[in-house]
Amino acid sequence: MDNLIRLNIKGISYSQTQTGAYALILEENVGGRKLPIIIGSFEAQAIALALEKDINPPRPLTHDLFLSLGKEFDLTVESIYIYKLEDGVFYSNIVFSNDEGRHAEIDSRTSDAIALAVRFNAPIYAYEHVVEKAGIHLDVFEEEENMRRAANNFEDDLDILAGIENDLSNINEYDGWTKEDLEAEMNKAVQNEDYELAARLRDQIDNMEN
């Protein structure tokens, strides 16, 4: 198993690129590189439930059934490893063994392999060339994520500026005006049929009298 890199599950989040999908993030044990793997909602649920030890579904899921069969027939998952990335799809093998020392490698979808690895407490590996290749896609993913965050921050800044503008608009523009000045300006506004301005001037006069 030369050139294999140990991976840990970093987390599961909604996919930013595919609607209804999730991004499973794997991180190398040493080095910090991450592999984002797009999985479906069912697979995400299967992995999440295995990670949450305190949550037990009322009926066993498919991967739980495999775990029960393994315990019944002394079959265990020694490890899983991701051996190829092609056209955006990760390919994995599951290494099984039994109490008689027999070993077998079975091809599997990566999401299923990881769901079983979590249940059997088996290590997750990937070949170096897969991590290197996926890292390139991760750079793009992180750049897009940073751009999205920057856009959100820019929108937040616009909201702050809008709030400041509203606060400035609330500053009393009639400070220093006398009641007579306000009444004259209100009459002028009525003559010009600017009733909105006339109403503001009327309110200002009322505030002076109270």
Side-chain angles (χ1 to χ4, degrees):
M1 303 183 83
D2 294 337
N3 299 322
L4 283 176
I5 296 174
R6 178 75 179 265
L7 301 171
N8 300 311
I9 297 176
K10 183 68 174 178
I12 302 175
S13 63
Y14 286 108
S15 172
Q16 300 294 330
T17 58
Q18 296 186 27
T19 304
Y22 291 78
L24 171 66
I25 307 300
L26 302 179
E27 183 178 38
E28 64 178 333
N29 198 34
V30 178
R33 288 179 295 179
K34 300 178 180 65
L35 276 72
I37 301 176
I38 303 302
I39 60 177
S41 58
F42 175 79
E43 292 80 3
Q45 180 190 57
I47 295 172
L49 285 175
L51 293 173
E52 295 292 337
K53 304 297 184 181
D54 297 331
I55 300 178
N56 295 313
R59 299 296 296 158
L61 301 178
T62 303
H63 303 91
D64 298 320
L65 177 61
F66 271 90
L67 177 62
S68 298
L69 285 171
K71 291 180 178 179
E72 185 69 23
F73 292 98
D74 296 321
L75 185 69
T76 188
V77 174
E78 284 197 355
S79 64
I80 71 113
Y81 63 93
I82 306 169
Y83 64 88
K84 184 171 67 173
L85 172 60
E86 188 174 286
D87 296 329
V89 178
F90 290 88
Y91 293 79
S92 298
N93 275 347
I94 305 175
V95 180
F96 290 96
S97 65
N98 61 15
D99 59 345
E100 297 177 354
R102 182 183 174 185
H103 292 75
E105 293 188 14
I106 298 178
D107 188 39
S108 168
R109 295 192 309 169
T110 298
S111 57
D112 289 331
I114 292 175
L116 287 179
V118 175
R119 284 166 170 79
F120 282 90
N121 294 316
I124 302 169
Y125 297 98
Y127 279 108
E128 168 64 32
H129 67 84
V130 174
V131 177
E132 189 64 29
K133 188 175 182 180
I136 297 174
H137 296 289
L138 181 59
D139 291 340
V140 175
F141 174 80
E142 288 183 338
E143 182 177 351
E144 291 177 350
E145 181 69 11
N146 291 335
M147 291 176 65
R148 186 181 65 83
R149 290 176 179 174
N152 290 338
N153 291 337
F154 179 70
E155 291 178 357
D156 292 341
D157 291 341
L158 289 180
D159 291 339
I160 293 173
L161 290 174
I164 294 174
E165 183 178 354
N166 289 334
D167 291 341
L168 291 175
S169 66
N170 291 329
I171 295 177
N172 194 341
E173 56 183 308
Y174 302 110
D175 284 344
W177 287 42
T178 64
K179 179 181 178 183
E180 290 75 16
D181 293 334
L182 292 170
E183 288 176 342
E185 194 68 21
M186 182 181 66
N187 292 332
K188 187 188 298 183
V190 171
Q191 292 175 5
N192 293 332
E193 298 183 352
D194 189 350
Y195 300 113
E196 183 178 353
L197 174 59
R200 291 205 308 270
L201 291 164
R202 180 204 59 206
D203 293 342
Q204 185 65 29
I205 294 171
D206 291 341
N207 289 335
M208 293 181 67
E209 291 177 346
N210 293 333

